[in-house]
Amino acid sequence: MARTPAKGEKPLDWVGSSKKDFLTFPGSVKSEMGNALGLAQFGGKHPSAKPWRGQGPGVLEVVENHDGDTYRAVYTVRFREVVYVLHAFQKKSPRGIRTARSDVEMVERRLRLAQQDYEVRYGKSKK
């Protein structure tokens, strides 16, 4: 049975394998990131959400640490009607805090896909 969204709640759409990847995270990580994504659906911002560098305003990431590993979920709130989760991944960069280029490129590609999807479903208007 389909869930009826609450008043003011935007749908959460997952781009590519982001949902499948997110579901592999440890339970506590999924719970905290789920809270952050839920706040985004109502127009809020979780205290641990921060801007994702390089894509301009409206693209955010949530970072959670668990047992020495770091997990990230990147999402966009640029669109009036929907929140897109662009990428969910365990950070494995060999160079300290720097995010792997493949993950940065994945976010860029999926943001373009989200833009295309939004235009098809809702028209060209943004926020």
Side-chain angles (χ1 to χ4, degrees):
M1 181 148 78
R3 185 177 80 75
T4 304
K7 183 176 173 81
E9 179 183 13
K10 295 178 185 181
L12 188 65
D13 283 6
W14 302 81
V15 182
S17 65
S18 59
K19 185 171 186 176
K20 180 181 76 115
D21 298 335
F22 179 83
L23 292 174
T24 67
F25 291 177
S28 61
V29 172
K30 287 188 288 191
S31 179
E32 195 59 32
M33 286 185 173
N35 287 335
L37 295 171
L39 279 171
Q41 287 180 270
F42 286 97
K45 183 177 170 234
H46 192 273
S48 68
K50 60 184 182 179
W52 173 262
R53 290 186 177 195
Q55 293 303 314
V59 179
L60 303 156
E61 72 173 326
V62 179
V63 179
E64 289 295 323
N65 295 310
H66 178 78
D67 284 344
D69 294 318
T70 301
Y71 299 86
R72 293 182 176 191
V74 181
Y75 63 98
T76 183
V77 294
R78 283 186 180 172
F79 306 103
R80 180 184 316 251
E81 304 294 333
V82 63
V83 174
Y84 288 99
V85 180
L86 304 172
H87 192 26
F89 61 102
Q90 181 179 351
K91 186 177 168 311
K92 295 183 179 180
S93 177
R95 290 188 235 148
I97 62 169
R98 172 171 259 160
T99 302
R101 186 74 200 145
S102 60
D103 290 313
V104 172
E105 290 169 353
M106 178 77 71
V107 169
E108 291 170 358
R109 278 193 308 276
R110 289 183 176 174
L111 183 58
R112 285 192 299 272
L113 290 172
Q115 175 75 46
Q116 292 168 355
D117 178 74
Y118 189 83
E119 289 176 3
V120 167
R121 290 169 56 191
Y122 302 103
K124 290 203 182 242
S125 68
K126 287 187 180 181
K127 234 176 180 179

